[in-house]
Amino acid sequence: MAKDILGEAGLHFDELNKLRVLDPEVTQQTIELKEECKDFVDKIGQFQKIVGGLIELIDQLAKEAENEKMKAIGARNLLKSIAKQREAQQQQLQALIAEKKMQLERVITLINMKKDIWKLNKHHLTSLQNR
């Protein structure tokens, strides 16, 4: 009966017969909740470590991908540069070919003129000898 009166007043006895303000069930639930919270915090800590490692790995992969991207851009620019150099070289060679063709035409014209002069001189010599 004394326990009932104390219970109504909000006082309780625990298993060691110590006077407590909380109901033993509430105390037990509080202890269980505290343990569950500790387990939860431990699991959250492990999760954060795993996520941190994953983030580091992703950052490293992103850096490597960026490096490869820059290498590819450099290679592409080099190829464009080589193509432009080849185009410029081709234009120079075409200009040189045109120049050489013009020189050839002048030489052919000179040779033909000399042939004509030689024929004319030969003709004059022959006509002088026949006289």
Side-chain angles (χ1 to χ4, degrees):
M1 184 156 147
K3 281 188 174 184
D4 293 338
I5 296 172
L6 289 174
E8 290 174 10
L11 300 173
H12 305 280
F13 287 101
D14 66 5
E15 60 275 350
L16 300 175
N17 288 324
K18 289 188 177 182
L19 188 60
R20 302 287 180 184
V21 177
L22 291 176
D23 183 10
E25 284 184 37
V26 173
T27 303
Q28 182 61 32
Q29 289 174 352
T30 302
I31 291 169
E32 289 174 4
L33 181 61
K34 181 179 176 183
E35 289 174 5
E36 287 179 17
C37 287
K38 184 181 180 286
D39 290 343
F40 179 75
V41 168
D42 291 342
K43 288 179 182 179
I44 290 294
Q46 290 174 351
F47 179 73
Q48 286 178 334
K49 286 180 185 178
I50 292 170
V51 169
L54 184 61
I55 288 173
E56 287 178 17
L57 178 64
I58 289 172
D59 285 343
Q60 182 182 3
L61 289 174
K63 287 178 185 176
E64 289 177 15
E66 186 66 25
N67 288 340
E68 291 300 320
K69 177 182 167 185
M70 295 307 287
K71 285 180 187 178
I73 289 171
R76 182 180 64 197
N77 290 341
L78 179 63
L79 287 175
K80 285 181 180 179
S81 173
I82 290 172
K84 286 181 182 180
Q85 287 175 349
R86 284 186 180 171
E87 185 178 322
Q89 186 180 21
Q90 184 180 10
Q91 288 176 353
Q92 288 174 346
L93 290 174
Q94 286 175 343
L96 183 62
I97 288 170
E99 182 182 330
K100 293 297 179 180
K101 283 182 179 180
M102 287 175 53
Q103 286 178 353
L104 178 62
E105 288 176 18
R106 280 191 294 246
V107 168
I108 289 172
T109 303
L110 284 173
I111 289 173
N112 288 336
M113 285 174 55
K114 288 190 180 206
K115 280 182 183 179
D116 289 343
I117 292 172
W118 186 77
K119 284 180 185 179
L120 187 60
N121 285 341
K122 186 177 178 184
H123 179 60
H124 282 303
L125 279 174
T126 309
S127 67
L128 286 175
Q129 285 177 352
N130 290 336
R131 278 189 189 179

